[in-house]
């Protein structure tokens, strides 16, 4: 299901341009428009899912596919050896600004921890 007002639904449907690096029947991955690292890719489900908190046990396959895709993108971007970070921001305190579930894949530099 798509949400016609949702930015990432529109990107997944190619109604809004993005630098897509991977897509399959379930997922789309594209470069973040405001990258926080040399590699910053977002992996999203094609179907509208508002956040991690909006998923349930029936979404285990989708959630596994998101992480597997994140791993493959990290490999394809040459991040495996030096490492990388995968992040899912959820809700207001989590810093989520786009309310369509997405996994950030960040790498290409040493990343600080803990988050602010
Ligand atoms: P979050 O803060 O976790 O919800 O992450 C949303 C991310 O979406 C941010 O890193 C934004 O830079 C990114 N973003 C917003 N609009 C676009 C867009 N049109 N194309 C690609 N990335 C976007
Ligand atoms: Zn959406």
């Amino acid at each position: 299901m798509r949400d016609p007002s949702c930015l990432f639904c529109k990107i997944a449907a190619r109604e809004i341009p993005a630098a897509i690096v991977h897509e399959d029947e379930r997922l789309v991955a594209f470069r973040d428009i405001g990258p926080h690292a040399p590699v910053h890719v977002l992996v999203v489900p094609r179907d509208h899912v508002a956040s991690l908190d909006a998923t349930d046990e029936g979404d285990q396959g989708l959630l596994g596919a998101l992480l597997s895709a994140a791993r493959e993108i990290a490999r394809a971007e040459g991040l495996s050896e030096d490492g990388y970070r995968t992040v899912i921001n959820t809700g207001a305190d989590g810093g989520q600004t786009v309310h369509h579930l997405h996994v950030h894949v960040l790498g290409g530099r040493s990343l600080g921890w803990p988050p602010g």
Side-chain angles (χ1 to χ4, degrees):
M1 291 286 283
R2 277 172 55 195
D3 175 342
S5 67
C6 171
L7 176 63
F8 287 177
C9 283
K10 289 179 185 169
I11 287 176
R14 290 183 176 263
E15 291 170 9
I16 289 179
I20 292 174
V21 298
H22 168 84
E23 59 183 328
D24 58 37
E25 61 283 347
R26 219 161 26 170
L27 306 176
V28 179
F30 51 91
R31 297 195 191 280
D32 196 293
I33 204 166
H36 290 297
V39 175
H40 188 170
V41 172
L42 304 174
V43 192
V44 314
R46 281 192 186 279
D47 284 345
H48 183 77
V49 178
S51 74
L52 182 62
D53 196 59
T55 66
D56 59 24
E57 297 308 309
D59 295 310
Q60 286 186 3
L62 173 67
L63 293 170
L66 280 167
L67 274 186
S68 291
R71 179 197 62 228
E72 292 307 309
I73 288 157
R75 284 185 183 160
E77 296 286 330
L79 302 178
S80 294
E81 187 172 344
D82 288 341
Y84 56 93
R85 185 167 297 161
T86 47
V87 175
I88 302 175
N89 295 324
T90 304
D93 278 2
Q96 185 178 6
T97 59
V98 177
H99 297 282
H100 178 128
L101 175 62
H102 49 283
V103 179
H104 296 256
V105 180
L106 296 141
R109 68 170 173 84
S110 182
L111 299 162
W113 189 264

